[in-house]
Structures are given as structure tokens and as C-alpha cells.
Amino acid sequence: MLCPGGFTPYRDVDCRDLAIFYEATRDLRGTTYKPYLVATQEARGVNFRFICNSTIMTRPPQNAITMVCIFKPFCKEHDKARAVVTSICKMGCYNCN
């Protein structure tokens, strides 16, 4: 059962989710993100929580599990309807020394 205003359970990322993810993250540099799970919440738009594998471009590269939060407004005006990253949170690393 969903709590009103709460996030949906996590599910696999589909093509529509990927389009929004890449719209919001296309200008990020220095780290690559591969989303594999997503949860959503409607609130004057849609909030997304993507669970991703991230690779930080260091020597050697560092991999981590990361949550990328994105907001996509419902606004119909194209320039105001762009999806934006609201936060990026490293959840854990799995090849760190």
C-alpha cells in the first residue's frame, strides 16, 4: 500500500525513465551513471530517485552505488519543463581501498 505523497516501490528502469534521466544528466562531467532502479513521486511534477552504478573518472576509476534525484515538472512550456538533477548521493562504494 502506498502512502499518500510517498514514493512508489523501486522498479526496473524503462525507456521513458531513461529519457528523463539522460535529459537531466547530459551536462554532468567527471562521473558516468548507469541507472537500474527507479522510484517516483508526483508533486507538481514527478520526483525520480534513480539507483545507479556510478564510475568516477579517477586513476584508478572508482565505482559506487549512487542515488540520483531528478525533478521533472508538469509544465507544458518546453524551456520550463526540462528535467533537472536535485541531488546526487553516494550510497556505498565497492572497489575502494
Side-chain angles (χ1 to χ4, degrees):
M1 182 173 171
L2 287 179
C3 177
F7 277 86
T8 63
Y10 282 96
R11 60 175 170 74
D12 291 338
V13 174
D14 64 25
C15 293
R16 290 177 296 185
D17 301 322
L18 283 176
I20 290 167
F21 183 84
Y22 290 123
E23 175 185 338
T25 61
R26 67 181 176 211
D27 295 329
L28 297 180
R29 302 288 182 260
T31 304
T32 58
Y33 299 95
K34 182 178 179 189
Y36 55 93
L37 294 173
V38 65
T40 60
Q41 173 193 48
E42 289 191 16
R44 293 183 2 187
V46 181
N47 290 308
F48 293 85
R49 287 182 177 169
F50 287 94
I51 303 299
C52 306
N53 175 38
S54 61
T55 303
I56 302 168
M57 300 302 154
T58 58
R59 287 193 183 176
Q62 294 183 349
N63 294 310
I65 302 299
T66 307
M67 183 183 340
V68 178
C69 298
I70 293 173
F71 177 70
K72 173 77 171 172
F74 287 138
C75 184
K76 295 185 189 302
E77 295 177 42
H78 180 68
D79 58 332
K80 293 183 180 177
R82 183 168 182 245
V84 295
V85 174
T86 57
S87 68
I88 299 174
C89 182
K90 184 175 171 183
M91 299 172 72
C93 58
Y94 54 84
N95 74 345
C96 301
N97 294 330

